[in-house]
Amino acid sequence: NFSTEKRASPWVLARFSRLIIRFYWFCLRRPAFTVGSILAIVGVMAGGLPHLKSVTAARDLFSDDTESAKNFDTIAKEFLAGNPILAFIRPVSGHWNAEDLCTLHHWLTEANLSNPEIQRMSSPFDLREVILEPDSFRYRRILEPCDQSFRSIDAQIARIGQTPIVGTLIAPGVADIGIEISFRDTPGGSKRGRFDPKPIQAFMTEFEQTFAGKFITVWGGPAMYDHHVAVGMKRFPFMNLGVLVLILLLYRFYTGTWKSGMLLMGTLATTGLFIFGGMGRAGHPVDVLASTIFLMVTIAAHQDFSYVSSAQMERPENFRRTFRRFLVPSFFTSLTTMIGFFSLCLSEVVIIRRFGLWAGMGALFEWIMVMLFLPSFMALVPRFRRWTKGPNLFLARIKGPAAGRWLPGRRTAQVLLGLLVVTPWAVSAVNVTDDPKGLFPESHPFRRSIRYLRDTRGWENTLDLLFVDGTTAEERAPILAKIGKFPLVVRVEERSGLIDFLKTGYSAEDQKFIERQVSNGPLSKRYQTKRGRERVILYVNSSDVRDYRAFRDELAQICDPKICTISGLIDLYSEYTFSIARTLSESLVVSLLLVTLLMVFIIRAKRTPDGVYLVLSSFWGPLMMLVILSVFRIPLNVYTCNCAAVLVGLTGDNAIQFIFASRKGRLTEGVSSRRDGAIFTSVTMALGCLVFLAAAFTPPRILGVLLFFGFLFCLLGDYWLLKGLLNRSSGKDGDQSPSPQAGPGKSHNASA
């Protein structure tokens, strides 16, 4: 069976190679038809761009069919609390005065009545106290700065500082007052999903202009999160342009011409139209993760053109022959990239699935663009047929004995290869966590608002606890008492606490009357639906999903999920974050298995010696990055977990090129002849990842740094470690590349 398989592999590879080469020549004999057909496909896909949505609301990132999403939507619908922002206002002078407070009250009242985007507004101005007289029952605003007939402004401020909302909407000592403004979902939806945060900016701008010099305002809340995401995503088009410019400059340095970079920029821009147009047609929105697809495809997909350009520099010939020599190996390298991306479709997280699908489609279309479109385009436009000059002088200086001094000995390389034994531990020890506020850097205004909340109130986020209809106060009381003692919970806000405040000082009979009146009044809408379903607001001191999971475990012990359910932004993230570990392990195993099978097939088909070393050295880079992630406890979240899939997607690419460049099984010759392309490809990928540092969000920055070092580690494994393993003696053998003047009979590529 083994011998039959060895005979079958070359036959299958030869048949496939002939098939794909015939298709290549079919396209090049009809260059106008090929170019026109591909551009027509792109045009059809680009027609979806007007329908492309850019999702910014955190809720839209998550699937509607999960329990956490259903609970979140229930709160938004029944309590009109879908998209709230918080404005914490304090006087510039440090002291409240009646005139400014009166102006603020009137402005907020007018905004609440006239702005159709505002669904509900809550503030200390709404808080009332009960005035119970023998023949009347009325509420009186505690804070009524425009009317001081019943109490001076200082007395009003002192009284409001005794209410239960101190520590929530009011800072201790009434150092500030908080306003909660809930914006409605965009009617009919928008290109930014169910909620377009654009009205928030208009509201903030008008407020700041009206009260400039009077108040200092800190803006926070869940909808401000959405607003800052929308603002931050505007950077990605400039980052896409930046990586294209970087590639243009790097190719100018490497190939000696501007034509090479211009050709690649054109193919990448066309691929971008294909990807985002396709997403628009499929109804898949662009989120923070999907915004990086073009950058990822650009960084990962330039490899094919890099190798073709490297060969053309080393041995100038007819451009058709150069592209044809790389047609088959480049197909397999693109296939490994597609495997890495498509493996993410195994994820339970919808945004990761979408990312994997379209990044994989982009990798496939990039191969079509580079290996079919470009040579057909060159056939039509002769001036682009010579897009490179001679060998790169910088890389030429580090060949031969000069390069050999830096290579490891065989035993050293084997020891380094042995580090792969810790990979199972690394997979199990990877640090998977998330925190919604971690999307933004420490200096970001949203993070500053979180710190302000912690400094002035001791909490940074809220959760909603919902009780089923008909749950009595006696049933809720012991549960809430225990919840209040949980480490995560700083404060418990419920309807009964406010009612108790209003009843203070009255007789038992009057207290019953007050309770009936308040329970049926507008004050209860914040805590109770018309059907009688109770909502309790929990103020928590952490948004880290690990802390939240511990809280959920504690909650499950004292309250059956059928009685009380929890909701909030942290809850949404929690349900998805802990599926990341499954995504990482499943996609990693599947992609590694498929890439291994593909490499084994090619190794046997080409009868390449030292196949085990070739496979293991290819895996060494990405797996060592996984080990580093686990050793240094670098956190992985919804965004950064894709690092492993990207690196695994590039696993084997250089090895496949080395195999196809080897003559008669001389792998060392293949490694040396493809060395320049491998180095330039990996270094360009690594430098391209540094563009992620310009992102407005922290996870893409971390992802860029991880990929930067990951690509360099892949280069170390693919070339440096492999060269050491191929040393047959204790000494170092340098790079002995074939002469650039080698004739046609001494081709680098045995598959040509």
Side-chain angles (χ1 to χ4, degrees), residues 311-330:
Q312 187 72 358
M313 291 162 60
E314 189 119 340
R315 191 182 67 185
E317 60 181 353
N318 184 282
F319 70 95
R320 297 178 179 84
R321 290 181 56 83
T322 303
F323 277 97
R324 199 211 66 160
R325 286 197 293 125
F326 285 87
L327 186 70
V328 177
S330 291

Side-chain angles (χ1 to χ4, degrees), residues 463-584:
L463 292 167
D464 293 304
L465 185 66
L466 276 74
F467 288 92
V468 296
D469 299 352
T471 308
T472 64
E474 290 73 18
E475 292 173 324
R476 292 193 303 270
I479 295 175
L480 295 177
K482 293 179 180 178
I483 289 176
K485 297 178 181 179
F486 288 173
L488 187 72
V489 180
V490 174
R491 188 184 185 91
V492 177
E493 178 187 336
E494 58 171 328
R495 185 172 63 98
S496 62
L498 195 55
I499 293 177
D500 290 342
F501 165 75
L502 296 174
K503 296 189 302 183
T504 302
Y506 290 97
S507 65
E509 184 177 350
D510 289 340
Q511 287 182 359
K512 292 179 180 179
F513 175 77
I514 292 171
E515 185 171 350
R516 287 196 302 270
Q517 295 298 319
V518 173
S519 296
N520 296 323
L523 192 63
S524 290
K525 291 182 179 179
R526 177 175 169 86
Y527 308 101
Q528 190 179 49
T529 65
K530 293 180 179 180
R531 297 182 302 166
R533 190 173 190 184
E534 290 278 349
R535 168 202 187 195
V536 176
I537 303 173
L538 306 179
Y539 295 85
V540 296
N541 56 24
S542 173
S543 301
D544 191 299
V545 294
R546 290 173 299 188
D547 297 334
Y548 175 72
R549 295 294 290 192
F551 162 80
R552 284 293 299 263
D553 293 339
E554 293 175 313
L555 181 64
Q557 296 176 10
I558 65 171
C559 187
D560 192 301
K562 295 180 180 179
I563 298 175
C564 54
T565 55
I566 199 76
S567 177
L569 185 60
I570 316 172
D571 188 61
L572 286 171
Y573 269 83
S574 174
E575 187 162 343
Y576 283 86
T577 296
F578 283 86
S579 67
I580 293 175
R582 192 179 303 113
T583 295
L584 187 65

Side-chain angles (χ1 to χ4, degrees), residues 93-261:
S93 63
H95 181 76
W96 297 104
N97 66 74
E99 182 181 357
D100 289 346
L101 280 173
C102 181
T103 304
L104 176 63
H105 186 201
H106 280 308
W107 190 90
L108 292 173
T109 303
E110 178 65 23
N112 192 24
L113 293 174
S114 63
N115 191 333
E117 301 297 335
I118 295 177
Q119 193 173 40
R120 182 178 59 82
M121 188 180 293
S122 300
S123 75
F125 295 108
D126 301 326
L127 196 59
R128 301 169 182 261
E129 58 186 353
V130 172
I131 305 299
L132 190 60
E133 298 174 347
D135 58 350
S136 67
F137 171 86
R138 63 189 176 93
Y139 283 137
R140 181 175 66 192
R141 294 182 188 276
I142 297 177
L143 186 59
E144 187 65 84
C146 302
D147 179 10
Q148 300 183 54
S149 61
F150 69 96
R151 190 183 291 144
S152 69
I153 190 62
D154 290 337
Q156 292 180 37
I157 294 296
R159 179 58 174 157
I160 204 78
Q162 299 170 356
T163 62
I165 64 173
V166 174
T168 57
L169 285 182
I170 297 178
V174 199
D176 70 42
I177 59 175
I179 315 294
E180 183 183 63
I181 307 102
S182 292
F183 289 82
R184 66 176 181 176
D185 285 344
T186 305
S190 71
K191 285 193 174 183
R192 294 195 180 279
R194 69 189 70 194
F195 171 59
D196 187 344
K198 185 178 180 180
I200 293 177
Q201 184 61 60
F203 178 87
M204 292 170 55
T205 300
E206 185 178 354
F207 184 92
E208 297 285 1
Q209 291 174 349
T210 303
F211 297 103
K214 295 181 179 180
F215 298 129
I216 299 172
T217 308
V218 176
W219 301 93
M224 282 302 298
Y225 182 95
D226 302 335
H227 165 72
H228 288 304
V229 169
V231 173
M233 286 181 64
K234 294 179 181 178
R235 288 196 192 180
F236 282 108
F238 297 101
M239 293 167 59
N240 294 340
L241 179 61
V243 77
L244 290 178
V245 172
L246 177 63
I247 284 180
L248 179 66
L249 295 175
L250 289 174
Y251 269 83
R252 173 62 179 84
F253 162 77
Y254 181 58
T255 65
T257 71
W258 293 106
K259 289 182 182 179
S260 57

Side-chain angles (χ1 to χ4, degrees), residues 400-429:
R405 289 195 297 268
W406 300 99
L407 295 175
R410 186 179 178 87
R411 291 183 180 178
T412 302
Q414 289 173 338
V415 170
L416 291 173
L417 195 64
L419 295 175
L420 292 178
V421 298
V422 302
T423 299
W425 166 83
V427 174
S428 62

